[in-house]
Amino acid sequence: MPATGEKGGNKMIYMMLGLLIPIGLTSCYVYFFIKRFLTEFMHVEFSKRRKIILHGVTLVLSLPAVNVFGIYAIVYLHLLVISMVLELINLVLRRYKWFRFGFGTGIFSLVIMLMIFGYGYYNINKVNETEYTLTSSKVDGLKILQITDLHMSNAIDQQELKEYCNEMSKLEPDIVVLTGDIVDERTPLEDMKAACEMLSKISNKKGIYYVFGNHDPASYSTHSQFNAADVEKEFVSHGVTVLKDQAVTVDDVTIVGRMDASVDRSRMSSEELLKGIDKDKYVILLDHQPLDIDKNASLGVDLQLSGHTHGGQLFPLREVQTLFTNTLVYGKRTINDFTAITSSGISAWGYPLRTEGKSEYVLITVE
């Protein structure tokens, strides 16, 4: 994720410098691939001068991929991985001219990438309803609607959001929770205001509650048309309760909303935030990032709802996160009477593509 401020800027520079090494190595493969194509199919003979020129060309083609948040990097990396997989297959099938031609010219890599991107575009725009059923002696028949990671304007426009809000209203939830990243630094001001208004009109019985995500303040860009205060003001003006390290009790339910860990590093600890909370109530904790799950389970929280991960969004990010972290990247985790749910989000950030996971809103019924 992009970093902000002077220190964040330095981190970004260091990250890009660190990426120069793998980019340099991958450019060697790109050089090999292009040289093989020119030699086998174009019958080009390579002098020392031509080799130097080709090295320069491949370096120029590879360097823009250092910006991992750009669409160029996504295209470059997909083509690279697909070609390397086909390289292994080529060891077996290279005796067939049709395969050798399709692989050696890059046609197979390009077609496969377009198929993956086509699926990713379809998948991010197909929003699903995901249901969970939980049990608790504290409440009876509580329906919670969770919406997270809308990233307004990335893959959903105003008309589509209106249709989804009408669709979600028919579920007749008791409580609606918005667990962050409803907008981001690329969302136009008009769309930010429209999103806040439309989400506030979802039918409910006990209110709509919102917590900030790391992108909502639009602090990853100096060109954004709004900031955190603007988002909060817009939600509040439409009757949405904004929770910033705060708790609110409605009947037999207490909703605790945390500041996002990336936005406010001085946010209250779980112990401080939950101190004095009546544990006889059904306690729902909203945290944009799925953090402190084991701790919150031990502190008497009944249900923790999060987003942020997008369920991976681009393969194989979910598998990498799951392998190297203890984060609940997607789905449900149960610890005794405690349940944590991480939604992949109704949309996603950065690219209008989702090659892993699904776009969803979540309906939780507590019986």
Side-chain angles (χ1 to χ4, degrees):
M1 295 178 186
T4 59
E6 184 178 347
K7 291 183 178 179
N10 290 336
K11 288 181 180 179
M12 177 65 75
I13 292 171
Y14 294 146
M15 183 182 74
M16 287 187 171
L17 288 174
L19 285 170
L20 286 176
I21 296 175
I23 290 298
L25 294 174
T26 57
S27 71
C28 292
Y29 174 74
V30 175
Y31 168 85
F32 166 75
F33 191 97
I34 295 175
K35 183 174 180 290
R36 180 174 57 191
F37 164 74
L38 293 174
T39 302
E40 292 187 11
F41 300 98
M42 304 299 291
H43 307 294
V44 175
E45 294 184 3
F46 273 85
S47 62
K48 184 176 181 180
R49 179 171 174 272
R50 285 180 175 175
K51 289 179 181 179
I52 293 173
I53 292 174
L54 183 57
H55 272 298
V57 170
T58 55
L59 194 59
V60 169
L61 289 173
S62 302
L63 275 177
V66 173
N67 178 18
V68 293
F69 302 111
I71 191 66
Y72 185 93
I74 296 302
V75 172
Y76 175 90
L77 292 172
H78 273 79
L79 278 174
L80 188 69
V81 172
I82 292 167
S83 296
M84 286 182 170
V85 171
L86 289 174
E87 197 79 54
L88 297 175
I89 299 175
N90 186 52
L91 295 175
V92 178
L93 299 181
R94 62 186 173 186
R95 64 180 181 273
Y96 299 107
K97 290 183 178 180
W98 61 268
F99 184 87
R100 194 163 66 248
F101 176 81
F103 166 64
T105 58
I107 292 175
F108 285 172
S109 297
L110 185 60
V111 169
I112 293 172
M113 185 199 70
L114 290 175
M115 290 173 63
I116 291 173
F117 279 19
Y119 165 74
Y121 181 78
Y122 164 80
N123 192 38
I124 198 172
N125 286 284
K126 185 180 183 297
V127 177
N128 303 269
E129 176 190 331
T130 300
E131 297 185 10
Y132 295 95
T133 300
L134 311 178
T135 58
S136 175
S137 59
K138 298 180 181 181
V139 290
D140 183 20
L142 178 68
K143 293 175 71 174
I144 307 161
L145 174 67
Q146 181 194 12
I147 304 164
T148 192
D149 294 274
L150 169 62
H151 291 277
M152 183 64 184
S153 309
N154 181 40
I156 293 180
D157 60 27
Q158 290 189 30
Q159 182 57 39
E160 290 169 327
L161 179 58
K162 183 178 181 180
E163 292 172 3
Y164 291 134
C165 288
N166 291 336
E167 184 179 299
M168 291 184 284
S169 288
K170 294 177 183 178
L171 299 174
E172 300 181 339
D174 296 299
I175 294 170
V176 179
V177 297
L178 311 173
T179 50
D181 283 0
I182 300 304
V183 294
D184 63 36
E185 56 281 346
R186 300 179 185 180
T187 306
L189 178 62
E190 178 186 351
D191 284 4
M192 182 274 282
K193 292 183 176 181
C196 293
E197 180 178 3
M198 284 188 274
L199 290 168
S200 73
K201 292 181 178 179
I202 296 174
S203 297
N204 66 88
K205 299 173 184 176
K206 300 184 180 183
I208 302 177
Y209 304 88
Y210 162 79
V211 294
F212 278 95
N214 57 305
H215 283 280
D216 288 308
S219 52
Y220 293 140
S221 172
T222 57
H223 304 294
S224 177
Q225 298 174 306
F226 57 85
N227 57 30
D230 296 323
V231 175
E232 181 176 358
K233 180 181 178 182
E234 202 64 36
F235 269 128
V236 170
S237 71
H238 292 293
V240 175
T241 301
V242 178
L243 298 173
K244 300 187 295 182
D245 278 352
Q246 295 168 304
V248 60
T249 298
V250 184
D251 298 330
D252 50 1
V253 178
T254 295
I255 303 162
V256 183
R258 303 204 68 180
M259 289 295 293
D260 180 71
S262 299
V263 174
D264 186 356
R265 299 186 184 279
S266 62
R267 71 175 186 166
M268 295 173 65
S269 67
S270 294
E271 291 87 349
E272 292 174 306
L273 196 53
L274 294 166
K275 186 177 181 180
I277 296 292
D278 184 358
K279 302 302 168 51
D280 290 330
K281 305 284 187 181
Y282 189 78
V283 181
I284 304 172
L285 186 143
L286 311 179
D287 192 352
H288 175 63
Q289 301 185 42
L291 302 173
D292 301 327
I293 289 176
D294 292 331
K295 181 190 293 186
N296 294 332
S298 69
L299 292 172
V301 173
D302 294 289
L303 175 63
Q304 177 171 336
L305 299 176
S306 304
H308 184 64
T309 64
H310 303 171
Q313 184 174 347
L314 297 177
F315 177 83
L317 294 181
R318 181 191 295 187
E319 288 70 24
V320 172
Q321 284 182 287
T322 302
L323 183 63
F324 293 103
T325 72
N326 190 38
T327 299
L328 177 60
V329 181
Y330 178 76
K332 181 178 75 169
R333 181 181 297 173
T334 302
I335 304 174
N336 298 323
D337 295 328
F338 167 85
T339 301
I341 292 174
T342 300
S343 170
S344 55
I346 196 169
S347 186
W349 177 83
Y351 328 99
L353 298 170
R354 182 189 285 280
T355 57
E356 183 164 53
K358 61 182 178 179
S359 295
E360 65 176 9
Y361 54 84
V362 175
L363 182 67
I364 302 153
T365 301
V366 187
E367 300 175 338

